[in-house]
Amino acid sequence: MDPTSQLVYAHPPENGLDALRKRINSRRRKGRAAASALLLIAAFAIVFWPNGAPRDAGPSEASIAHAAKDGQLLKIENGAAMEVPTDRKNVRLYWVMALNADQQADSGA
Amino acid sequence: MLDQNLIEKLHGRLERPLFNIALRWTWNEAEAQELVQEAFVRLWNARWRVRSDTVEAYIYRIVLNLGQKHARRRESWWKISNLLPGADRGMSPEETVDSARLRDAIKSLPVDLRNVLLLCEFSDLKQREIAELLDIAPGTVASRRHLAVKRLKEALGDGPD
């Protein structure tokens, strides 16, 4: 007798298709969540990416800034000269005029 | 590309033969069903690169691979757990869908013979398709099936032809 005739052709449990649908839908949700997370990261990277290295100060700007810092009339913040309030009006006026002239020269270059 | 509708249709058509093949590796209905489900999920993940004309062979191949992997894992675990007397073996008990003697006879077959026998008995694949699936010559399918049946007969005590 052929022993394969003794093999029982068994029936799988009935909920197979529903279980498969659940698993596929779960995979889909995970795939969508992963894609959304990637998009979000890309969007953040584009928005917050630095716009390049800070601009180097030109020689005249640097010298003015240096002298002004020494005189405690100007301070440098993020590469830009900022006026420090002072009562010595004449001195202050001189440094502000020098700074404006320097900035005009820079923008004209 | 395969879509979910096509995969569900394939599931409806192939679930039973795949389940029966998986059952002859796991010897446990719940684990066999889990194995078939896993095979279809893997097919879903690979849907971009599987062609519709080869999908049937693909899913059979996955079930055979998963079945062998399952059996190896089970055997390794038994070897380890046998070293620990009184330890909980932690594996689900085998269910006797076939007679215990037939089950033991199938388990004693080498993988090559077992795969051919299971595909010949439970799938609707033609001999040529089984040969392509297993990457062997069509004549080898026939000879392996013959040898497998002979070994089963010997194991069951019926004696060779």
Side-chain angles (χ1 to χ4, degrees):
Chain A
M1 192 177 90
D2 187 345
T4 56
S5 63
Q6 298 174 44
L7 286 168
V8 178
Y9 202 54
H11 285 276
E14 287 189 356
N15 60 347
L17 186 57
D18 288 338
L20 179 64
R21 279 181 182 147
K22 276 183 190 169
R23 289 177 76 151
I24 286 178
N25 289 335
S26 166
R27 292 278 168 143
R28 278 186 152 162
R29 277 196 299 274
K30 280 180 189 170
R32 276 199 292 266
S36 302
L38 272 177
L39 271 177
L40 200 64
I41 289 168
F44 268 100
I46 289 167
V47 170
F48 292 108
W49 198 263
N51 289 324
R55 183 175 63 89
D56 287 337
S60 58
E61 183 182 336
S63 61
I64 289 173
H66 188 70
K69 274 199 295 185
D70 284 349
Q72 294 184 339
L73 297 171
L74 294 175
K75 60 181 179 180
I76 305 297
E77 282 187 7
N78 297 326
M82 307 286 289
E83 184 184 350
V84 176
T86 174
D87 290 329
R88 297 180 291 170
K89 285 184 181 175
N90 289 338
V91 177
R92 187 172 72 92
L93 189 62
Y94 168 77
W95 284 117
V96 170
M97 283 172 66
L99 180 66
N100 287 340
D102 187 64
Q103 282 175 341
Q104 280 170 2
D106 274 357
S107 60
Chain B
M1 189 194 93
L2 307 172
D3 58 15
Q4 186 169 348
N5 189 35
L6 203 146
I7 290 177
E8 285 183 7
K9 278 183 185 166
L10 198 69
H11 182 271
R13 192 157 59 82
L14 296 182
E15 185 190 19
R16 199 170 169 211
L18 291 169
F19 174 77
N20 273 279
I21 290 172
L23 193 55
R24 269 66 186 195
W25 281 106
T26 62
W27 304 103
N28 177 284
E29 289 199 358
E31 287 175 4
Q33 192 196 17
E34 173 62 28
L35 203 146
V36 173
Q37 295 270 314
E38 176 62 24
F40 274 97
V41 169
R42 287 188 184 199
L43 176 64
W44 168 256
N45 290 340
R47 65 192 181 283
W48 308 101
R49 55 186 163 85
V50 178
R51 297 200 325 260
S52 57
D53 57 330
T54 58
V55 65
E56 203 165 318
Y58 185 86
I59 193 88
Y60 273 110
R61 186 72 254 181
I62 297 177
V63 166
L64 289 177
N65 288 344
L66 288 175
Q68 288 165 42
K69 197 173 165 186
H70 180 279
R72 275 199 304 271
R73 205 169 49 232
R74 188 180 195 123
E75 196 178 336
S76 304
W77 179 243
W78 271 88
K79 279 179 186 169
I80 293 168
S81 61
N82 279 338
L83 298 173
L84 308 167
D88 179 12
R89 288 188 165 81
M91 298 293 289
S92 52
E94 293 186 345
E95 297 158 1
T96 52
V97 59
D98 303 311
S99 72
R101 283 179 66 215
L102 181 59
R103 183 192 63 203
D104 290 341
I106 293 172
K107 283 168 79 173
S108 71
L109 290 176
V111 172
D112 293 347
L113 301 186
R114 192 163 164 179
N115 279 344
V116 167
L117 183 79
L118 294 178
L119 288 171
C120 287
E121 292 308 314
F122 294 116
S123 79
D124 292 328
L125 297 174
K126 296 180 178 70
Q127 187 170 305
R128 178 185 51 79
E129 292 170 319
I130 294 174
E132 282 176 16
L133 193 160
L134 297 174
D135 201 19
I136 54 177
T140 311
V141 174
S143 63
R144 282 187 185 174
R145 186 189 179 280
H146 178 75
L147 191 57
V149 171
K150 188 179 163 195
R151 295 261 184 101
L152 285 185
K153 278 183 181 177
E154 287 169 0
L156 294 169
D158 292 352
D161 290 334

